[in-house]
Amino acid sequence: MNPKKSFTLLFLLVITLVSAQRYTILSGSLESLAGIPAYKVTFDYKGQNVQGFDTEEAFLNEKMDKRKNKEGEAEKFKQDWYGDREKYYELKFINYFNRRFDKGEVKISKDVEAKYTMNVKTTWIYPGYSAVAVAEPAKISAVITFFETEHPDKVLLSILFDKSIGIEQGQFDFSQGERIAGAYEKLAKSLTIQMKRFVK
């Protein structure tokens, strides 16, 4: 292969990997997570921004208003918006994370007593869309904070993942919940890639 072409391909690969794992360490260090085998995981959606809207409430109001003439559709959209968090997002994040540590080096669970907690706080969300011939994956930004469960002020690591692009669940993800869940799956992937550098 032409050396110039090889360099170009390598450069593009590096750029792709960097952009796919955009993160900023806000405090603490990844090294401080070494040797911790389990975390209680919690999720926080308070105050999250939705792309194109001033508030999450404004987003819901517009989406529900568009459905007000279809019986039950407006309320169903609102119920799904909140219900999909536990039904899809959190499940995808937890399952993907645990699969990545297939030898059991680290496990996370919502229903476990653990010395340390991992909190996943969503700060921004873009739901994406699916139409008959076109689709765009969802994206999320989130701050993940690791701290002592009994002493939340003792933070080991706070890390921001910016605009995590969803892993596609199918050719066209018509379900908004499943589409957004792909972004939480990608968030778990990006996190575990970094943690695996220090967890043996």
Side-chain angles (χ1 to χ4, degrees):
M1 183 182 288
N2 185 301
K4 187 175 181 179
K5 187 174 182 180
S6 297
F7 176 81
T8 301
L9 290 173
L10 179 60
F11 177 78
L12 290 173
L13 176 61
V14 170
I15 291 297
T16 300
L17 289 172
V18 170
S19 64
Q21 300 171 30
R22 290 183 296 184
Y23 69 92
T24 302
I25 293 179
L26 304 178
S27 65
S29 66
L30 284 156
E31 292 91 331
S32 65
L33 306 183
I36 298 175
Y39 297 91
K40 177 181 179 66
V41 62
T42 58
F43 295 85
D44 182 1
Y45 306 91
K46 294 177 183 176
Q48 69 176 5
N49 292 319
V50 182
Q51 175 67 26
F53 295 86
D54 292 334
T55 64
E56 182 180 24
E57 183 180 7
F59 164 78
L60 285 171
N61 287 341
E62 180 180 293
K63 297 300 181 183
M64 292 175 70
D65 189 60
K66 288 181 177 179
R67 293 162 171 78
K68 65 182 180 182
N69 294 325
K70 298 180 180 179
E71 186 177 355
E73 286 298 309
E75 190 59 33
K76 183 179 184 303
F77 182 89
K78 183 177 181 179
Q79 290 176 356
D80 287 345
W81 177 256
Y82 291 114
D84 286 346
R85 294 172 176 179
E86 185 171 4
K87 182 179 180 181
Y88 292 117
Y89 314 164
E90 297 171 12
L91 195 61
K92 283 286 187 181
F93 181 91
I94 293 169
N95 288 346
Y96 190 93
F97 183 99
N98 288 334
R99 284 202 309 272
R100 290 284 293 186
F101 289 101
D102 56 352
K103 295 180 181 178
E105 308 97 317
V106 185
K107 290 291 180 184
I108 62 173
S109 174
K110 291 172 64 177
D111 305 311
V112 66
E113 295 298 325
K115 183 177 180 180
Y116 296 97
T117 293
M118 172 198 298
N119 177 255
V120 181
K121 179 173 179 57
T122 305
T123 58
W124 173 88
I125 186 168
Y126 169 63
Y129 62 86
S130 288
V132 175
V134 293
E136 185 170 350
K139 305 179 185 72
I140 60 171
S141 294
V143 175
I144 303 178
T145 305
F146 299 79
F147 56 87
E148 288 190 21
T149 303
E150 297 297 324
H151 305 281
D153 58 316
K154 294 185 177 180
V155 175
L156 303 178
L157 170 69
S158 183
I159 184 170
L160 165 67
F161 287 94
D162 186 46
K163 294 181 173 59
S164 181
I165 301 174
I167 296 174
E168 294 183 10
Q169 308 302 302
Q171 184 176 5
F172 295 106
D173 299 319
F174 290 102
S175 165
Q176 177 174 269
E178 292 186 64
R179 189 168 59 246
I180 295 174
Y184 282 89
E185 195 170 25
K186 180 61 177 293
L187 179 65
K189 179 178 182 180
S190 298
L191 175 63
T192 54
I193 286 173
Q194 300 309 320
M195 288 182 66
K196 276 180 169 287
R197 295 164 51 205
F198 303 99
V199 177
K200 306 299 181 183

